[in-house]
Amino acid sequence: MQIFIIGFMGSGKTTVGRKLANKTGCSFYDLDHLIEEKEQQSIASIFETKGENTFREIEKQRLRKFHGSDHYVLSTGGGTPVFHENMDWMLANGVVVYLKAEPAFLASRLKNEKSKRPLIAGKNDEELKVFITKMLEKREPFYKKAHLEFPAKGLNAQKLNELATTLTTQYPHRQTPR
């Protein structure tokens, strides 16, 4: 089983991905971390030195060339589903889970992360809320294509167990990525 975790930055994709991998017996990987390892620089540095377009191309290549174990959970970046038909590729090659979050929840989680995240660096709290709202409007049509949607806020152990059960019972035989 291949599981792709998508959602806006700050929705908890990495944390939920790790816990979900543990519950389903899958290996866990984080796409941003894989990119940083391969490129030998941070995502913020890639954005700064090479630009977002180059980063998105690197992201696409790393996603398509990723070969984990046969059973894995891969947390993606917030923009991954939006570019280069990545969403269609993930839908065809695994189960896509969207961690849905409201702008106020995301802003509260991201306000102290601005220096680590290139798309929100330098924004004050009000600009951050406006940015999140506008970006969610653009990204939501991609996110909504996911096989499953779960709320990011309040995703406790019980709900995580429900998600794991849903994945293993409804999607037990998803093929290995091509």
Side-chain angles (χ1 to χ4, degrees), residues 30-59:
D30 181 279
L31 185 59
D32 283 349
H33 182 70
L34 294 170
I35 291 167
E36 288 176 338
E37 280 183 347
K38 181 150 180 28
E39 297 298 313
Q40 296 293 298
Q41 63 185 118
S42 70
I43 299 299
S45 177
I46 296 169
F47 265 76
E48 186 179 314
T49 60
K50 299 178 182 177
E52 183 177 6
N53 290 339
T54 299
F55 169 76
R56 296 299 178 192
E57 186 61 37
I58 293 167
E59 180 182 57

